Amino acid sequence: MSNVNRVWRLRKRPVGELTNDVLSFEEEPIPTINDGQLLVRLNYLSLDPTNRIWMSDMDQYMPPVELNAPMRGLICGTVTESKHEGFAAGDIVSGLGVWADYQIGDPAMLNKLGDTGPLPVVDAFGTFALVGPTAYFGLLDIGKPQEGETVVVSGAAGAVGSIVGQIAKIKGCRAVGIAGSEEKCTWITKDLGFDAAINYKTEDVAEALKKNCPNGIDVYFDNVGGNILDACLKQMNLRGRIPTCGLISGYNETEPVPGPYNYAMMLMQRLRIEGFIVTDFAPRFPEAAAELGKWMAEGKIKVRQDVYDGLENALEHLKKLFTGENKGKLIIRVEDTK
Amino acid sequence: MSNVNRVWRLRKRPVGELTNDVLSFEEEPIPTINDGQLLVRLNYLSLDPTNRIWMSDMDQYMPPVELNAPMRGLICGTVTESKHEGFAAGDIVSGLGVWADYQIGDPAMLNKLGDTGPLPVVDAFGTFALVGPTAYFGLLDIGKPQEGETVVVSGAAGAVGSIVGQIAKIKGCRAVGIAGSEEKCTWITKDLGFDAAINYKTEDVAEALKKNCPNGIDVYFDNVGGNILDACLKQMNLRGRIPTCGLISGYNETEPVPGPYNYAMMLMQRLRIEGFIVTDFAPRFPEAAAELGKWMAEGKIKVRQDVYDGLENALEHLKKLFTGENKGKLIIRVEDTK
């Protein structure tokens, strides 16, 4: 193999919308590993809203990426050289890594992907590595929906939100999704079985929620924060739950973002608002993968992935997450593995 | 007895600060009761921040007071006539009633006060009827403080907040109070045993929290919302809890009040924000009264009451809750009973 490695490095903290000068794409030598380390060849790179958080120096749940360091990402790769007894060359691994063709893998941050059965590796990685467990634990452990309740999810056509609504249906709830285009709304109702969809770009969300949630909202799974959170707060039932997975509407803002204007509803309706980060549930990921895998095999959960080729295109595609252009889980394919 | 009854009636919804034209003080005939009802003579009227909520038509946890209806309040009174088998003339009752010398008591909303032991009725009413259970259940059931954790409470010299801090100390926590005068700060640290106090009118609350909470905040008991909530959010530890009892800083606002600017900390630190209304715990009030009574007898909990004479002065004294003028539980004494 040639000794050329391609690496995305963080050059400045983003201010407002993502711009091209935030990251640079460099050619560098392939790193060499020490005892206890792995050399990993990147197969797939997951693009996620949280990438934007890691680039910034806002208060966050793990240290931000340091300036000039390789950009952090959720990766799936193949071990090409191992100096760690738990891994061997040829192992397919997923977990936290960087945006680079070759990288030193931290065994503490990577898991072997294991047998994916009939699922291609890219699908298993896309669903089980992050977004599936996020939907599964956020909805079931934090939201605790009961049969017959109404679950509303924002970012409903997104990678997490689309699974949230489908799990809500499996659990006997009414599922209402909020998304940003007619195509997305049609997809979640016609293909995924949501009971109703609201297009926040063309509809008055508060009015549409009233119409589509005749019994109010028991669980609002929040991916976005902002105005949509405010509209949902107005319709929450007594002792409703708001598991909070993301606040993407605020990530590109340059001014301090006010919290919800209807925050007082939390008091009046005795709501529980609770943030979670899926990695807190890491020891239970196999449980989520088993359940989700079963539901997918039964056709009860469908996923959609937007797979794009070329590590060099990662930044362009990442921007889509913040404009609503993507239609499924965003994955960059560097080299297929199965 | 004369047939003259004095009644405060709600005449308009308050906008901004409470003004004298919001309520009117009328002379009316004493009402007569039907089967199943009680006639109650008012002894004590509790003045509470939630009175301001009931006057308004904001979204709230029970229906607002109707315009021109008698003002709702937490009362302690004596049954003067009973047409309900559960009550007899002479019973001392407390619960929801109205701001009037004589009133028709709703048996579903009133409880017999029972034997108050060595405590004068006014003290038992002031502590056990509402603020004591509010502090007790909000801190222990919603906040779930663990020994060695740090509990911060706003409105710390108020009727609820002062008890919250003292229960936190009993449970082995560090107790830090936020209050609005040097006198209040001295009282809660010197007399009540709080570990530290912050004067929000003269100190930078965020800086003072950093100094006084060297291990961060595990439980923030929120009585006020607004800027103080924002400052606390910045210092919350992983999986911190924010039991929310009140948002008094916003009650007199005329414009929509933004939620906390640091709302995203709820996600980053996986916080749980939960509103509660003490009446949800009504079946367990005897538990709170027993525990609080024991702690008061042991000198571990001290309470301070501001008792003012004259129903005609109720509105003037209510205003103090929103300017921070009061120093303890505000009670209007109409006629002593013991």
Side-chain angles (χ1 to χ4, degrees):
Chain A
M1 69 192 188
S2 93
N3 192 34
V4 175
N5 193 22
R6 298 176 306 161
V7 182
W8 282 98
R9 288 184 179 272
L10 181 67
R11 296 303 182 187
K12 52 179 273 198
R13 306 280 176 207
V15 177
E17 282 186 24
L18 283 178
T19 49
N20 289 339
D21 54 351
V22 165
L23 298 177
S24 69
F25 195 50
E26 309 288 345
E27 294 202 345
E28 301 176 3
I30 293 174
T32 55
I33 59 172
N34 295 321
D35 281 351
Q37 295 182 327
L38 315 171
L39 187 65
V40 175
R41 169 79 171 111
L42 185 62
N43 296 116
Y44 308 105
L45 170 66
S46 173
L47 299 180
D48 301 286
T50 199
N51 296 155
R52 175 68 173 72
I53 298 178
W54 294 338
M55 291 176 178
S56 78
D57 56 5
M58 69 187 285
D59 288 304
Q60 54 195 276
Y61 56 94
M62 55 195 297
V65 176
E66 286 181 29
L67 281 179
N68 302 314
M71 178 60 200
R72 184 190 298 147
L74 187 72
I75 65 148
C76 179
T78 306
V79 175
T80 56
E81 185 186 356
S82 172
K83 292 188 178 176
H84 184 284
E85 59 183 9
F87 295 84
D91 283 348
I92 297 173
V93 294
S94 76
L96 282 183
V98 295
W99 293 22
D101 287 322
Y102 288 91
Q103 50 196 279
I104 296 175
D106 178 352
M109 294 291 176
L110 295 171
N111 290 302
K112 287 190 234 183
L113 197 62
D115 182 15
T116 64
L119 276 186
V121 165
V122 65
D123 290 356
F125 169 62
T127 301
F128 299 149
L130 194 76
V131 297
T134 300
Y136 182 88
F137 293 112
L139 179 63
L140 299 181
D141 274 61
I142 313 282
K144 298 191 195 303
Q146 306 299 309
E147 192 175 337
E149 289 191 331
T150 295
V151 173
V152 172
V153 58
S154 52
V160 170
S162 60
I163 298 175
V164 167
Q166 293 175 88
I167 298 176
K169 289 305 299 176
I170 289 168
K171 296 297 180 182
C173 298
R174 178 172 178 82
V176 177
I178 304 173
S181 76
E182 285 309 306
E183 190 277 337
K184 288 176 177 178
C185 287
T186 301
W187 180 59
I188 64 175
T189 50
K190 294 285 180 288
D191 292 351
L192 303 189
F194 281 56
D195 295 287
I198 296 167
N199 182 344
Y200 72 87
K201 291 196 176 161
T202 59
E203 295 183 67
D204 178 321
V205 175
E207 285 304 309
L209 283 169
K210 263 189 221 171
K211 197 183 78 183
N212 288 303
C213 304
N215 299 319
I217 304 172
D218 300 290
V219 179
Y220 168 53
F221 189 105
D222 194 5
N223 282 307
V224 303
N227 296 340
I228 289 174
L229 168 58
D230 255 325
C232 289
L233 276 167
K234 288 282 280 186
Q235 309 294 330
M236 293 298 294
N237 287 334
L238 199 66
R239 298 196 181 76
R241 289 80 67 194
I242 305 186
T244 302
C245 174
L247 297 165
I248 197 171
S249 69
Y251 296 169
N252 275 352
E253 296 294 330
T254 55
E255 297 296 316
V257 181
Y261 284 82
N262 295 320
Y263 183 76
M265 290 298 291
M266 177 270 304
L267 174 58
M268 302 307 168
Q269 294 285 63
R270 294 81 129 177
L271 308 179
R272 175 164 53 80
I273 303 176
E274 190 164 347
F276 71 97
I277 303 286
V278 69
T279 47
D280 294 343
F281 294 92
R284 291 175 55 200
F285 274 23
E287 170 194 333
E291 283 282 80
L292 292 164
K294 178 170 70 77
W295 290 330
M296 287 165 77
E298 295 169 355
K300 291 179 181 167
I301 286 193
K302 297 173 190 164
V303 298
R304 182 159 73 168
Q305 303 211 116
D306 295 347
V307 181
Y308 295 100
D309 285 307
L311 184 58
E312 64 278 14
N313 301 316
L315 179 55
E316 278 313 303
H317 293 301
L318 180 66
K319 293 177 187 173
K320 295 181 180 174
L321 284 171
F322 303 94
T323 58
E325 272 179 78
N326 66 305
K327 288 177 180 160
K329 177 76 198 80
L330 272 177
I331 302 271
I332 295 291
R333 173 167 45 201
V334 179
E335 184 179 76
D336 257 333
T337 171
K338 187 169 108 179
Chain B
M1 69 194 190
S2 94
N3 192 34
V4 175
N5 193 24
R6 299 175 305 159
V7 182
W8 283 99
R9 288 184 179 271
L10 181 67
R11 295 304 181 186
K12 52 180 273 200
R13 306 280 176 206
V15 176
E17 283 184 23
L18 283 179
T19 48
N20 289 339
D21 55 351
V22 165
L23 299 177
S24 69
F25 195 50
E26 309 287 346
E27 295 202 345
E28 304 177 3
I30 293 174
T32 53
I33 59 172
N34 296 321
D35 281 351
Q37 295 183 328
L38 315 172
L39 187 64
V40 176
R41 167 79 170 113
L42 185 62
N43 296 115
Y44 308 106
L45 171 67
S46 174
L47 300 180
D48 301 285
T50 199
N51 296 156
R52 175 69 172 74
I53 298 178
W54 294 337
M55 291 175 178
S56 78
D57 55 4
M58 68 187 285
D59 288 303
Q60 53 195 276
Y61 56 94
M62 54 196 297
V65 176
E66 284 181 29
L67 281 179
N68 302 314
M71 177 60 200
R72 184 191 298 146
L74 187 71
I75 65 148
C76 178
T78 305
V79 175
T80 56
E81 185 186 356
S82 172
K83 293 188 177 176
H84 184 282
E85 59 183 9
F87 295 84
D91 283 347
I92 298 174
V93 294
S94 78
L96 281 182
V98 296
W99 294 22
D101 288 321
Y102 289 89
Q103 50 197 281
I104 296 175
D106 178 351
M109 293 291 174
L110 295 171
N111 290 302
K112 287 190 235 184
L113 198 61
D115 183 14
T116 64
L119 276 185
V121 165
V122 65
D123 290 357
F125 169 61
T127 302
F128 300 150
L130 194 76
V131 298
T134 300
Y136 182 88
F137 293 112
L139 180 62
L140 299 181
D141 275 60
I142 313 281
K144 298 190 196 302
Q146 306 299 307
E147 193 176 334
E149 288 191 330
T150 296
V151 173
V152 172
V153 57
S154 51
V160 171
S162 60
I163 298 176
V164 168
Q166 293 176 89
I167 298 176
K169 290 305 300 175
I170 290 169
K171 295 297 180 181
C173 298
R174 179 173 176 80
V176 177
I178 304 174
S181 76
E182 285 309 306
E183 191 277 337
K184 288 176 178 179
C185 287
T186 302
W187 180 59
I188 64 175
T189 50
K190 295 284 180 287
D191 293 350
L192 303 188
F194 280 58
D195 295 286
I198 297 167
N199 182 342
Y200 73 86
K201 291 196 175 160
T202 59
E203 296 183 69
D204 179 322
V205 176
E207 285 303 310
L209 284 169
K210 264 189 219 169
K211 197 183 78 183
N212 288 303
C213 305
N215 300 319
I217 304 172
D218 300 292
V219 178
Y220 168 53
F221 190 106
D222 196 5
N223 282 307
V224 302
N227 295 340
I228 290 175
L229 168 59
D230 254 326
C232 289
L233 276 167
K234 287 284 279 189
Q235 309 293 331
M236 293 297 295
N237 288 332
L238 199 66
R239 296 195 183 78
R241 288 80 68 198
I242 304 185
T244 302
C245 174
L247 298 165
I248 197 172
S249 69
Y251 295 170
N252 275 352
E253 296 293 331
T254 54
E255 297 295 315
V257 181
Y261 284 83
N262 295 320
Y263 184 75
M265 289 299 291
M266 177 269 305
L267 174 58
M268 301 307 168
Q269 294 286 63
R270 293 80 130 181
L271 308 179
R272 175 164 54 80
I273 303 176
E274 191 163 347
F276 71 97
I277 304 286
V278 69
T279 45
D280 294 344
F281 294 92
R284 291 175 55 201
F285 275 24
E287 170 195 333
E291 283 281 80
L292 292 164
K294 180 169 69 79
W295 290 329
M296 287 166 77
E298 294 169 355
K300 291 179 181 167
I301 287 192
K302 297 173 190 162
V303 299
R304 184 160 71 169
Q305 302 211 118
D306 295 348
V307 180
Y308 295 100
D309 285 308
L311 184 59
E312 64 277 15
N313 302 315
L315 179 56
E316 278 313 301
H317 292 302
L318 181 67
K319 293 177 185 172
K320 295 181 180 175
L321 284 171
F322 304 94
T323 58
E325 272 179 77
N326 65 306
K327 289 175 180 162
K329 178 73 197 82
L330 273 176
I331 303 271
I332 295 290
R333 174 168 44 202
V334 180
E335 183 178 78
D336 257 332
T337 172
K338 189 169 106 178

